Amino acid sequence: QVHLVESGGGLVQTGGSLRLSCAASESIFSINNIAWYRQAPGNQREWVASLTSGGATNYADSVKGRFSISVDNAKNTGHLQMNSLKPEDTGIYYCYMQLRRHSGSRRTDYWGQGTQVTVSS
């Protein structure tokens, strides 16, 4: 069973930066899609950014121009670079990957355990 291990969250002041990482726990065949979501206290989980295997990126309007999503296929790891952070960016950030474990396996969805990001004003 593949697990996604997240890291990089923490406490940062307004205007600061953080880089989140999401690593697959074992070697995999391919990452088809990767995305990041977040959930603030009392709110529903919301989509933040996504990246397809073809390289297309999309961002929520609230983070456009500040966040950047990327993937290192050699390391089976996705990243979310977050700059110019604001207090409203505070929440638990979850990574999502659609991947194939082996060349003959079907695409399967996986979620990370979440990492806390807190931006102080």
Side-chain angles (χ1 to χ4, degrees):
Q1 178 73 11
V2 175
H3 300 282
L4 302 184
V5 181
E6 297 187 44
S7 60
L11 173 64
V12 64
Q13 291 185 333
T14 296
S17 297
L18 286 173
R19 187 182 191 225
L20 305 184
S21 297
C22 174
S25 59
E26 61 183 58
S27 179
I28 58 176
F29 178 71
S30 67
I31 299 173
N32 298 100
N33 295 289
I34 181 172
W36 290 88
Y37 292 75
R38 67 186 180 189
Q39 186 168 16
N43 292 354
Q44 291 187 334
R45 189 176 299 189
E46 64 173 358
W47 167 78
V48 174
S50 58
L51 170 64
T52 70
S53 58
T57 58
N58 284 285
Y59 299 93
D61 288 342
S62 59
V63 307
K64 201 170 293 183
R66 301 187 297 121
F67 289 13
S68 178
I69 188 172
S70 62
V71 64
D72 184 338
N73 287 296
K75 296 183 178 180
N76 300 323
T77 300
H79 299 285
L80 184 69
Q81 177 67 44
M82 305 186 295
N83 300 325
S84 303
L85 283 162
K86 306 174 181 180
E88 51 263 44
D89 294 319
T90 294
I92 300 174
Y93 283 69
Y94 299 91
C95 69
Y96 157 84
M97 285 190 188
Q98 184 185 74
L99 56 87
R100 295 169 64 191
R101 297 182 65 185
H102 311 291
S103 60
S105 62
R106 60 184 175 89
R107 299 179 182 183
T108 305
D109 299 333
Y110 294 89
W111 288 89
Q113 82 282 6
T115 186
Q116 178 70 45
V117 171
T118 303
V119 185
S120 63
S121 57

